[in-house]
């Protein structure tokens, strides 16, 4: 243990010792002390400990509104991190019960979070409007409503709300979401500045994990493999089961031609989040490189199925949907299934017209389209 960690450990132990002393000596202060410790645990992204502490506070006072709302937020955090529908249902039930008793801004915020998890984005936005009507400049509500607009596919409105939130009170959550939205707008340089700052300074391990993962993916695209791997490792140290980082790090090993390691990481990502589209896409690409075309097709089809046909989802993930179809068109071309290859290629280009240029280049310099590159329909599509 280095000296800094030793000092931090002692400070934490002293804090806990004081809290324990107050707990047994001053009953009126005991409840407030527990709430402050619970709030700190929530800030440190430790939902299990936060929920345990809020339950302690509720045993002292079952009607404590702050403890009820704090417990709901802890359960929400667990729902976001566990990918467990049962936890989502638990959070939804508690949020709706609170709203039935309390028409406050925080109660409406919880409904906004609930509807967001349920992918009922218009209802979530309306819930946040109700929260903001009661507390107009609350930076957390603004950032969370921005995230809903982001999920809905309205990136411009999302960025506006993230910026407003950050101007009122800078937060790691708002900064992270702003960075992700800037990536969506292809403003990667500005986004990377934000991500690098978060990796250096944020105390929220989940924010660090997401920011480091984005930086790893950015470095990988540029061919800076040493830095890419360094950032992926930082991401997974902060959050060992983060599915996106596992998938991206797996793709790093595909590029490095370490296929067994890549498969191991994709398997781990899909175990944590079976609906992780990025992992299905990269697994399909791995199987294509291995010339296991039936397995590649299966992986791409699973990714497409996970995206579904919801127009909101389709607008938000248009590029990823296009990529899945484009990769599937290559598999079909390699299998000699010309009709299907042309169908998926056309669908991909409709979703992302820039793939027309990619297909034209790959037909010239690579072999993936050799079976169809002289087909008149193929030449018409890429013209």
């Amino acid at each position: 243990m280095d000296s800094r960690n030793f000092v931090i450990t002692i400070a934490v132990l002293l804090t806990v010792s004081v809290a324990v002393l107050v707990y047994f000596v001053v009953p009126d202060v005991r409840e407030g002390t527990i709430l402050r410790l619970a709030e700190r645990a929530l800030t440190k992204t430790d939902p299990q400990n936060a929920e345990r502490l809020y339950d302690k506070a509720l045993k002292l006072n079952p009607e404590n509104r702050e403890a009820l709302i704090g417990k709901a937020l802890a359960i929400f955090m667990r729902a976001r991190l566990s990918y467990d529908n049962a936890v989502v249902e638990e959070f939804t039930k508690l949020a709706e019960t609170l709203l039935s008793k309390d028409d406050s801004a925080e109660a409406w915020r919880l409904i906004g979070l609930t509807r967001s998890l349920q992918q009922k984005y218009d209802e979530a936005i309306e819930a946040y409007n109700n929260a903001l009507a009661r507390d107009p400049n609350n930076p957390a509500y603004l950032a969370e409503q921005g995230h809903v607009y982001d999920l809905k596919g309205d990136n411009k409105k999302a960025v506006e709300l993230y910026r407003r939130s950050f101007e009122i009170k800078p937060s790691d959550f708002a900064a992270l979401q702003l960075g992700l939205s800037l990536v969506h707008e292809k403003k990667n340089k500005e986004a990377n500045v934000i991500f690098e700052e978060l990796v250096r300074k944020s105390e929220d391990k989940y924010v660090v994990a997401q920011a480091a993962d984005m930086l790893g993916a950015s470095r990988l695209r540029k061919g800076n493999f040493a830095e890419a791997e360094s950032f992926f490792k930082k991401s997974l140290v902060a959050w060992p089961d983060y599915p996106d980082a596992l998938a991206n790090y797996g793709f790093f090993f595909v590029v490095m031609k370490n296929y067994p390691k890549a498969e191991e990481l994709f398997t781990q990502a899909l175990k944590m989040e079976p609906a992780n589209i990025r992992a299905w896409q990269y697994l399909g690409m791995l199987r294509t490189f291995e010339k296991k075309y039936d397995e590649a097709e299966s992986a791409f089809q699973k990714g497409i199925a996970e995206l579904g046909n919801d127009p909101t989802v389709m607008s938000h993930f248009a590029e990823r949907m296009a990529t899945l179809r484009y990769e599937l068109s290559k598999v079909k071309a390699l299998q000699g299934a010309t009709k299907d290859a042309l169908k998926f290629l056309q669908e991909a280009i409709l979703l992302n017209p820039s793939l027309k240029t990619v297909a034209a280049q790959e037909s010239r310099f690579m072999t993936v389209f050799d079976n169809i590159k002289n087909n008149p329909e193929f030449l018409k599509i890429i013209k």
Side-chain angles (χ1 to χ4, degrees), residues 139-174:
Y141 304 167
L142 290 166
E144 289 166 10
Q145 188 180 49
H147 186 51
V148 177
Y149 275 106
D150 201 356
L151 293 170
K152 192 180 176 185
D154 189 344
N155 197 64
K156 184 177 179 181
K157 183 67 175 178
V159 170
E160 175 194 324
L161 289 165
Y162 293 145
R163 289 193 189 279
R164 278 182 60 196
S165 170
F166 200 78
E167 286 167 4
I168 294 167
K169 183 181 179 181
S171 73
D172 291 348
F173 175 78

Side-chain angles (χ1 to χ4, degrees), residues 326-364:
Y326 181 72
E327 294 296 333
L328 189 50
S329 76
K330 294 197 291 189
V331 170
K332 287 297 183 182
L334 289 164
Q335 290 175 317
T338 301
K339 185 177 179 181
D340 285 341
L342 294 172
K343 170 181 171 289
F344 286 118
L345 179 61
Q346 196 157 26
E347 289 176 358
I349 290 171
L350 282 171
L351 287 164
N352 182 3
S354 69
L355 288 173
K356 182 184 289 191
T357 303
V358 176
Q361 290 174 341
E362 290 197 338
S363 68
R364 288 179 61 195

Side-chain angles (χ1 to χ4, degrees), residues 356 360 377-383:
K356 182 184 289 191
E377 186 64 25
F378 176 80
L379 295 171
K380 182 180 176 183
I381 291 171
I382 67 169
K383 185 177 180 181

